[in-house]
Amino acid sequence: MNLVEIYNILAAEKGFERTMGDVLRVLGLYHRLWLSEIYVEIKGMNTTLREDIPEYSDVVKAVNELKNKGYVYVEKRTRSSLASTEGVEDYLVSLAGLREVVLALLSDRKLVDYVKIKRSMFR
């Protein structure tokens, strides 16, 4: 894991790298999510912070790029669903290098602001 590269991804303010940073942020909170959940979490975070919401296809591309860089593991699996007794095919995404990402996220302003707002809502 390259800590400098993680900081650079998190510092991106626009484009594809910004979406990659958002994926790392939500995975930093939960460590493992279904791909469909990652999109929902990014949408919630960016709506809360009044920022643009990426397209689902951009989130998929960001996850694939993070996988290629070795930052996440991706497993095609079947998740349970109330809509289908047979389940739904989805991708389970997990952080590969939890320590490095968490270290970088400790000082990430966007994530810190989001967590503060979430906590204040539950008090």
Side-chain angles (χ1 to χ4, degrees), residues 23-79:
V23 170
L24 289 177
R25 287 179 183 94
V26 297
L27 286 175
L29 288 174
Y30 301 104
H31 309 297
R32 174 185 282 177
L33 290 170
W34 294 105
L35 181 56
S36 55
E37 292 174 325
I38 291 173
Y39 178 72
V40 170
E41 289 297 325
I42 290 172
K43 187 175 177 182
M45 177 177 64
N46 286 0
T47 298
T48 299
L49 297 173
R50 295 188 172 108
E51 294 187 8
D52 292 336
I53 299 166
E55 297 293 325
Y56 183 79
S57 60
D58 292 333
V59 173
V60 172
K61 289 176 192 171
V63 166
N64 284 327
E65 182 62 22
L66 290 167
K67 176 184 149 204
N68 291 340
K69 290 179 175 289
Y71 295 123
V72 299
Y73 299 117
V74 179
E75 302 172 66
K76 187 175 185 177
R77 301 197 34 199
T78 302
R79 66 174 168 82

Side-chain angles (χ1 to χ4, degrees), residues 9 12-22 52 54 58-59 62:
I9 291 169
E13 295 182 11
K14 60 184 177 180
F16 184 66
E17 288 80 15
R18 179 176 169 252
T19 304
M20 288 172 53
D22 286 346
D52 292 336
D58 292 333
V59 173

Side-chain angles (χ1 to χ4, degrees), residues 76-93:
K76 187 175 185 177
R77 301 197 34 199
T78 302
R79 66 174 168 82
S80 61
S81 171
L82 295 174
S84 171
T85 56
E86 294 145 14
V88 176
E89 278 196 0
D90 203 344
Y91 293 88
L92 189 59
V93 183

